Amino acid sequence: IKDAEALETAHALDVVVFDKTGTLTEGKPQLVAHEGVDPARLLALAASVQGGSSHPLAGAVLEEAARQGLAPPAASAARALPGRGVEAEVDGATIVLGNRRLMEELGVPAAGGEQHEAAGRTVSWLAERRDGRLQVLGLFAFGDRIKPGAPSAIARLKEAGIEPVLLSGDSLGAARTVAQALGIERVHAEVLPADKALIVTGLRQGGRKVAMVGDGINDAPALAAADVGMAMETGTDVAMHSAGVTLMRGDPRLVADAIAVSRRTYRKIRQNLGWAFVYNVIGLPLAAFGLLDPVLAGAAMALSSVSVVANALLLRRWTPAATAPARAPVSEPISTTGALPPQTTGENTMYELTVEGMSCKHCVGRVTKSVQAVDADAKVAIDLDKASVRIDSQADLDRIVAAIDGAGYPVTGRASA
């Protein structure tokens, strides 16, 4: 918590606005489809344009291009189009990769994406301008996973009388799919970065207290415009600098925990003021009429201070709900259906898990220790950059996942390697 004002204001929140990608979803999209006349060329051109980008969608394109062994042609004059896409010069042509809004601004039809958007996928179109003529070559569809703690986070906010709102630059279909899965009724989609702050400001009208939760550079203006800005520690430095509260894991349940801390703190402040008021209301008249011995008066004042401090220290007994995450079923990307089947083993099996919240050697040690508490002979290899844990063990996978979850590191994906 960066400042006391954020802690003081959070207890009175009426609305919490969530960014979608990286906040309610994992922010690790997968390329699930690319469609065009020449899919291989389409993917190579997209990889070329996205070569220098750090955007999550760019990572998915580059990963698929590398998997297929494609060699993207060299690109030049690449530039980002905020809230829309990216463009670059490739082989004497201008290649544009972006969302439906960008295609409409360029005056070309963005066809064929309705089915993907209805399935909750993020869709981008690739167009080529050559000899003054702009033509759409194909589209890309991306799927992302909803974070395991997101449904619980939204449910807890609703129970507390707080309205959750989804605010996203993604398509309306993709945003609505996530919102419906989580029980969010109000959705603002296809919003440009500059307009996010305007929407947050509009929600504050009528005296309502609004919090914004995000993790990206595009969320920074909205985080600053809200009464309380909350940034994910897994996000960008700009977002954390703009926010009054930084959530130390990428777990949306920490939003409800932060509000609970504020409410309990505010309650303790009122209780302590009440205790102090009672002591003075009783003690001052007695002292004024000479009915209170000075020694007793001093003792009463000391007891007042002790009771106030002791009441405040009771806050230490409170445990955030998100510190011991209950394991939610591992979800597939929202663009697919079906769940991973339970896996059991009677001999050594290699598993590969995706685990959130690991950031240092201390985290590596805790995850390794939790696995080896289940199977002392298990071999564990951890890649922090990819949030990947490879395990060679005879133990049942469900027991391993439960142990890692219990150590405070949510497992969001699993498979046999």
Side-chain angles (χ1 to χ4, degrees), residues 222-244:
L223 289 168
D227 293 290
V228 179
M230 298 186 185
M232 298 286 188
E233 186 269 341
T234 52
T236 63
D237 291 340
V238 174
M240 288 186 280
H241 180 75
S242 302

Side-chain angles (χ1 to χ4, degrees), residues 273-363:
L273 287 173
W275 278 111
F277 186 74
V278 168
Y279 275 107
N280 284 281
V281 165
I282 295 174
L284 287 176
L286 292 177
F289 288 102
L291 300 177
L292 185 61
D293 185 274
V295 175
L296 293 177
M301 290 302 295
L303 182 61
S304 172
S305 299
V306 169
S307 64
V308 166
V309 172
N311 189 40
L313 288 174
L314 291 176
L315 281 171
R316 300 180 64 183
R317 300 173 60 184
W318 174 72
T319 302
T323 58
R327 183 166 63 89
V330 177
S331 62
E332 286 291 286
I334 57 177
S335 57
T336 61
T337 58
L340 294 173
Q343 301 179 49
T344 58
T345 177
E347 55 186 20
N348 272 36
T349 304
M350 180 69 76
Y351 302 113
E352 184 167 358
L353 308 180
T354 302
V355 180
E356 279 194 8
M358 301 185 299
S359 59
C360 61
K361 291 183 178 179
H362 174 71
C363 299

Side-chain angles (χ1 to χ4, degrees), residues 7-8 11 261-271:
L7 180 64
E8 180 181 356
H11 82 277
V261 167
S262 175
R263 289 184 172 182
R264 282 165 171 77
T265 302
Y266 186 74
R267 189 180 305 131
K268 289 297 180 185
I269 291 172
R270 297 185 65 178
Q271 290 172 356

Side-chain angles (χ1 to χ4, degrees), residues 65-243:
R67 190 187 70 80
Q68 295 190 17
L70 300 178
S76 61
R79 69 185 185 98
L81 307 172
R84 296 172 175 83
V86 64
E87 70 174 15
E89 300 295 323
V90 181
D91 292 337
T94 300
I95 304 299
V96 182
L97 178 63
N99 56 21
R100 183 182 297 275
R101 180 195 293 268
L102 178 59
M103 296 299 112
E104 291 174 350
E105 291 178 356
L106 295 174
V108 294
E114 293 80 5
Q115 182 177 357
H116 291 297
E117 290 178 344
R121 299 169 182 171
T122 299
V123 181
S124 296
W125 286 262
L126 188 140
E128 180 185 52
R129 180 185 288 112
R130 190 181 293 273
D131 299 328
R133 180 169 176 266
L134 187 64
Q135 179 182 8
V136 175
L137 301 183
L139 62 82
F140 297 84
F142 304 87
D144 201 357
R145 299 175 191 267
I146 295 175
K147 289 183 176 180
S152 173
I154 300 303
R156 288 177 59 194
L157 290 176
K158 287 180 154 183
E159 290 172 1
I162 298 172
E163 179 188 6
V165 174
L166 182 60
L167 178 62
S168 176
D170 210 340
S171 67
L172 182 59
R176 276 183 175 169
T177 299
V178 172
Q180 290 172 359
L182 298 176
I184 299 175
E185 297 178 1
R186 191 186 302 198
V187 179
H188 297 273
E190 301 177 1
V191 181
L192 293 175
D195 294 335
K196 287 187 175 183
L198 295 177
I199 291 176
V200 169
T201 301
L203 291 171
R204 294 177 62 189
Q205 293 181 356
R208 291 191 299 177
K209 298 294 184 182
V210 178
M212 172 69 193
V213 186
D215 71 330
I217 294 175
N218 292 343
D219 301 322
L223 289 168
D227 293 290
V228 179
M230 298 186 185
M232 298 286 188
E233 186 269 341
T234 52
T236 63
D237 291 340
V238 174
M240 288 186 280
H241 180 75
S242 302

Side-chain angles (χ1 to χ4, degrees), residues 363-378:
C363 299
V364 170
R366 290 192 63 185
V367 171
T368 301
K369 185 176 179 180
S370 67
V371 173
Q372 293 179 342
V374 177
D375 179 3
D377 297 324

